[in-house]
């Protein structure tokens, strides 16, 4: 149950951070305006709070592991939101990152 909660929090954090950055990008680069930028800033702020809800209390471990989630999530976001098609090396890299997440977060420790 603890792992399911942790994974869910990582997914939510990725949606908020990647989504927030995408909204800012759309607001600035695609000239969609201040409402998009503001929504992005709110989402990015919410990401910061979600990260604190992880069951593990080690900040460095959480953010290091989240880096792998961010890599895979960013590729997935690009596919859904922008029609990006990752090549096999993108996919391989994402799987390697997610394997790193599993080792950092869920390997048995004392």
């Amino acid at each position: 149950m603890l792992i399911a909660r942790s994974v869910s929090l990582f997914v939510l954090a990725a949606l908020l951070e990647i989504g927030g950055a995408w909204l800012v990008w759309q607001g600035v680069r695609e000239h969609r305006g201040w409402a998009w930028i503001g929504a992005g800033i709110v989402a990015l702020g919410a990401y910061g709070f979600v990260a604190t809800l992880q069951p593990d209390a080690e900040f460095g471990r959480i953010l290091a592991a989240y880096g792998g989630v961010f890599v895979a999530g960013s590729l997935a976001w690009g596919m859904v939101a922008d029609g990006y098609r990752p090549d096999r090396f993108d996919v391989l890299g994402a799987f390697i990152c997610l394997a790193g997440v599993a080792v950092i977060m869920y390997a048995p420790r004392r």
Side-chain angles (χ1 to χ4, degrees), residues 18-77:
I18 298 164
W22 184 82
L23 286 166
V24 171
W25 179 283
Q26 293 297 307
V28 175
R29 298 282 303 249
E30 303 299 326
H31 309 288
R32 296 202 175 176
W34 285 103
W36 287 68
I37 295 167
I41 291 168
V42 169
L44 288 165
Y47 150 74
F49 287 102
V50 168
T52 68
L53 302 175
Q54 281 288 345
D56 192 306
E58 298 296 330
F59 175 81
R61 181 176 296 144
I62 300 300
L63 257 18
Y66 175 68
V69 174
F70 181 83
V71 169
S74 295
L75 290 172
W77 187 281

Side-chain angles (χ1 to χ4, degrees), residues 66-93:
Y66 175 68
V69 174
F70 181 83
V71 169
S74 295
L75 290 172
W77 187 281
M79 291 171 59
V80 171
D82 293 326
Y84 174 72
R85 293 293 167 237
D87 64 23
R88 66 179 180 224
F89 298 109
D90 293 328
V91 173
L92 176 62

